[in-house]
Amino acid sequence: MGEIIGVVSGKGGVGKTTITACLGAALSHAGHRVLLCDGDFGLRDLDLVLGVADEIIYDALDASEDKDYTDDAIVSIAENLDFLPASQSARWEDIGRKKYKKLVRRLCDVYDYILIDAPAGIGKGIESILDLVSRCIVVTHPLWVSLRNGARMIQVCQEHNIRDYAIAFNAVPMEGEDINLYDMLEVLRAEYVGAMIPYDEDVLTYTQDGHLLELVSMDLTSVLAPLVDYVVTGDCWEDYDVQKQFDDYVAKKKASKEQASTPSLATTGESIFDDSSHVHYINRGGWTTQRLLVQGKQSLWRRRKLN
C-alpha cells in the first residue's frame, strides 16, 4: 500500500501548494507513482498551479459520495503523476469526512505516495487530514511570525500522535540575508530539516502560468533532493548537507545570472562596409567599433560640409 503524507503549515501563504506540486513532480521523475490531493475544500488552488483548472469536472467530494466517479475525478498531470481536486463550493464542515478518508485510503492501493495539500491553520480540515497521514512535511518561511505558527503546527501534529515530520523552509532569500538555520530550528523546537527552498521569482512566474512542473525538471531538482530522500527513505539529511545543497544552488543561480548579464567582448552585426556582410565588433563598456566608425564617418561628413 502507498503512504499518505500531509503537507501542512500553521500560516497561510507559506508555499504548501507550491511544495506539494514540486515534491510530487520530483518523486514522479524518480519513478514513483504519485497522487496529489488538494485538501483545502472551499479554497482549492492546486489545480491552478498544475495548470489544469479547465479540466476539472468532478472532484473529491463526488468521488467520496460515489466511488464510480473516482476515475473521472482524478486528472492525469504527467507520467506517474495524478491529481485529485477538492471541491470549490463545499467546506470541510459540509462534507462527509469519513467518506473522504475512505476514498483516500482506497487509493493507497494504486499509488506509491499520496501527498495532501492541507488547509492552513487549525480546524476540522487539518484534523481530518492528520487522522489520515502517517507523517507530515511542515512548511514555513524564515520569518518569525511563520516560525511561531510552524511551531504551533508541530504541536498539533504531536497531539495527533504524528511525531515523524520534517521542516521545509520555503522562500529562503538567496542574497542580502544571513539565515541562521539553527536559530530557526530552535524557535520551531524541531530537529529535522527536509529542505531549504530558495526564493526565486521564476517560481512565481511559472506558478502564475500554470507551468511550475517545468521549472522542477530544469532547476529545482537539486534543492528538492533532501525532501525526496526523506519521503522515500524516512531519513533526513544532516543539517549542514541541506544547507550546502542550498548554497550550491544559490551559487549556480548567481553565476548563471552574471553570465547572462555580462556583455560579450565580440558581437556580430551588420557591417557599414559594402564589401562585407558581417564583421566582428569589439565591445568595451558599450562602445563598439561599429559605433566609433559610424561616428567618425559622420564627423568627417560634417567637417566637409563646413568647408
Side-chain angles (χ1 to χ4, degrees), residues 11 15 18-19 81 85 143 202 232 269:
K11 185 178 183 299
T18 300
I19 288 183
L81 184 64
L143 302 171
D202 287 343
V232 175

Side-chain angles (χ1 to χ4, degrees), residues 240-258:
Y240 53 80
D241 288 330
V242 177
Q243 179 78 59
K244 183 178 183 304
Q245 199 80 350
F246 173 81
D247 293 340
D248 290 345
Y249 175 88
V250 171
K252 182 179 178 181
K253 197 76 174 178
K254 287 182 178 179
S256 177
K257 288 183 177 181
E258 289 176 1

Side-chain angles (χ1 to χ4, degrees), residues 3 22 58 82 95 100 125 133 135 144-145 193 249 251 256 261:
E3 186 174 6
C22 291
Y58 299 101
D82 292 338
I95 71 171
Y100 178 79
V133 303
R135 49 185 167 147
W144 295 120
V145 62
V193 182
Y249 175 88
S256 177
S261 61

Side-chain angles (χ1 to χ4, degrees), residues 19-230:
I19 288 183
T20 301
C22 291
L23 178 58
L27 285 167
S28 67
H29 290 163
H32 304 287
R33 187 154 172 74
V34 182
L35 176 67
L36 305 179
C37 293
D38 194 331
D40 200 353
F41 280 79
L43 290 171
R44 75 176 185 214
D45 53 9
L46 187 52
D47 57 321
L48 295 171
V49 171
L50 297 172
V52 294
D54 295 335
E55 300 179 32
I56 307 302
I57 300 175
Y58 299 101
D59 54 45
L61 180 58
D62 299 313
S64 62
E65 294 292 339
D66 187 342
K67 65 180 181 180
D68 290 338
Y69 287 110
T70 302
D71 291 340
D72 296 318
I74 293 175
V75 179
S76 177
I77 303 298
E79 185 179 1
N80 293 326
L81 184 64
D82 292 338
F83 168 56
L84 177 64
S87 171
Q88 182 72 345
S89 56
R91 303 175 302 168
W92 271 105
E93 289 79 5
D94 304 326
I95 71 171
R97 293 190 288 277
K98 290 184 179 179
K99 292 181 179 179
Y100 178 79
K101 295 176 188 177
K102 187 176 180 180
L103 167 66
V104 176
R105 290 191 177 113
R106 188 170 69 245
L107 291 171
C108 284
D109 294 334
V110 183
Y111 298 93
D112 299 321
Y113 299 103
I114 296 178
L115 304 180
I116 303 181
D117 178 19
I122 302 170
K124 295 296 184 182
I126 189 65
E127 290 175 2
S128 299
I129 289 173
L130 292 179
D131 288 340
L132 264 174
V133 303
S134 56
R135 49 185 167 147
C136 287
I137 296 167
V138 182
V139 182
T140 183
H141 278 171
L143 302 171
W144 295 120
V145 62
S146 296
L147 294 172
R148 186 174 71 174
N149 284 278
R152 177 65 183 121
M153 180 50 61
I154 291 174
Q155 290 179 346
V156 174
C157 290
Q158 293 172 343
E159 290 168 3
H160 285 75
N161 296 318
I162 298 175
R163 302 185 183 277
D164 186 355
Y165 58 85
I167 308 299
F169 292 104
N170 188 39
V172 180
M174 289 195 287
E175 56 186 346
E177 296 286 344
D178 184 15
I179 302 297
N180 191 313
L181 180 60
Y182 298 100
D183 285 348
M184 294 192 294
L185 289 174
E186 185 175 351
V187 173
L188 291 166
R189 296 179 182 177
E191 298 180 25
Y192 304 112
V193 182
M196 293 177 65
I197 312 296
Y199 174 83
D200 192 340
E201 291 183 358
D202 287 343
V203 173
L204 302 178
T205 302
Y206 278 77
T207 300
Q208 185 70 18
D209 295 339
H211 297 152
L212 180 62
L213 302 191
E214 296 178 13
L215 185 64
V216 174
S217 59
M218 290 188 300
D219 283 351
L220 294 178
T221 303
S222 61
V223 291
L224 288 169
L227 201 56
V228 170
D229 277 358
Y230 167 69

